[in-house]
Amino acid sequence: MQAIERNIGYTFKNKELLEVALTHSSRHVSSVNNERLEYLGDAVLELIISEYLFKNQKFSEGKMTKVRANIVCAESLSQAAMDLKLGEYILLGKGELVTGGRHRKSNLANAFEAVMGAVFLDSNYETAKEVVLRALEKNIVLALKGRLVKDYKTELQEQIQKDGDNTLAYVLDREEGPEHNKTFYINLLYKGEVVSQGMGKSKKEAEQNAAKKYLFGDE
């Protein structure tokens, strides 16, 4: 638990709150799970990000809603959870564990929300805000640039077509890992040549990452 506290930059007074925040519903040996804290954390995140955008950006209501949705969506929160290495500490039932539950985006996003809800309960709004904004700093920057949680394949295809070209191809290079927890590597070919490679827990995710890498390089 100390490793998680170091990663998020907060030390819990009530350690039990953190343990509950990391307990998945599949963990039947426990009478509690993180679903209630996830519910609270979802509301806490929405308020913190809403306040941040209101105070720091001159966006319209519609633009703030769209940017906030990108920042607090499952894709964004699962990435933040991976950055904090939360997946290593989620308490899972055996079935969820053997089917790759530690890397499942929904589990990671839910755990992130639950941990932030636990921070809020264990401290106060201002402290929770500091923890949340620090954990989501990278995603906030990308969202403000319009480069968070996008369909990179479509964006790349549109760019290529502007030049009158349509010679993109996504080709599976290899698969690694056991059947229930594979990692896929996809080569992106442009005019028959490999121009980037993406990896992911699904072919679709790997293709998106290959397109993103070609568009923006290694960020």
Side-chain angles (χ1 to χ4, degrees):
M1 293 299 178
Q2 288 181 339
I4 299 176
E5 290 177 328
R6 284 195 300 272
N7 290 350
I8 67 175
Y10 177 77
T11 301
F12 279 83
K13 297 183 282 291
N14 180 0
K15 307 293 185 185
E16 190 174 313
L17 267 177
L18 178 57
E19 183 173 346
V20 172
L22 293 169
T23 302
H24 188 264
S25 58
S26 63
R27 183 92 167 180
H28 299 303
V29 296
S30 174
S31 59
V32 296
N33 59 57
N34 64 6
E35 290 177 351
R36 282 167 51 83
L37 279 173
E38 174 200 336
Y39 167 83
L40 176 63
D42 177 66
V44 170
L45 287 171
E46 287 231 348
L47 177 57
I48 289 171
I49 299 303
S50 296
E51 181 193 14
Y52 174 86
L53 293 174
F54 183 85
K55 288 184 174 179
N56 294 281
Q57 304 295 327
K58 301 299 182 183
F59 293 154
S60 67
E61 181 269 344
K63 180 64 180 286
M64 285 193 295
T65 299
K66 183 176 180 180
V67 173
R68 182 187 65 193
N70 274 344
I71 295 170
V72 301
C73 73
E75 183 79 22
S76 168
L77 300 185
S78 64
Q79 182 59 58
M82 285 188 277
D83 292 343
L84 296 174
K85 295 181 171 55
L86 291 187
E88 297 177 17
Y89 304 98
I90 298 176
L91 303 174
L92 299 165
K94 185 177 180 180
E96 187 69 19
L97 186 62
V98 299
T99 56
R102 291 202 184 282
H103 307 288
R104 188 163 290 122
K105 288 184 178 181
S106 58
N107 291 345
L108 290 167
N110 293 344
F112 184 89
E113 289 178 332
V115 168
M116 295 307 150
V119 171
F120 171 73
L121 283 181
D122 195 63
S123 57
N124 52 56
Y125 177 73
E126 290 302 319
T127 300
K129 181 166 68 173
E130 291 177 10
V131 173
V132 167
L133 292 179
R134 183 168 56 244
L136 291 176
E137 181 179 10
K138 179 176 69 175
N139 292 12
I140 291 170
V141 170
L142 289 173
L144 292 175
K145 293 179 179 178
R147 287 162 60 175
L148 179 67
V149 191
K150 293 187 66 174
D151 184 350
Y152 298 107
K153 286 181 65 178
T154 298
E155 183 174 347
L156 178 57
Q157 189 68 43
E158 289 174 352
Q159 285 195 17
I160 296 298
Q161 287 176 338
K162 285 179 184 178
D163 298 326
D165 209 327
N166 192 22
T167 53
L168 287 175
Y170 296 86
V171 179
L172 179 65
D173 179 56
R174 66 187 188 280
E175 303 174 13
E176 294 181 353
E179 192 63 37
H180 63 270
N181 189 23
K182 284 185 176 296
T183 298
F184 297 88
Y185 294 82
I186 295 287
N187 287 332
L188 170 58
L189 279 68
Y190 179 46
K191 296 182 179 179
E193 295 186 5
V194 176
V195 291
S196 74
Q197 185 179 77
M199 60 178 287
K201 302 309 292 184
S202 68
K203 292 179 183 177
K204 182 177 178 181
E205 181 183 10
E207 289 174 356
Q208 287 285 349
N209 286 331
K212 181 182 178 182
K213 185 175 181 181
Y214 184 65
L215 283 165
F216 305 116
D218 292 310
E219 296 186 330

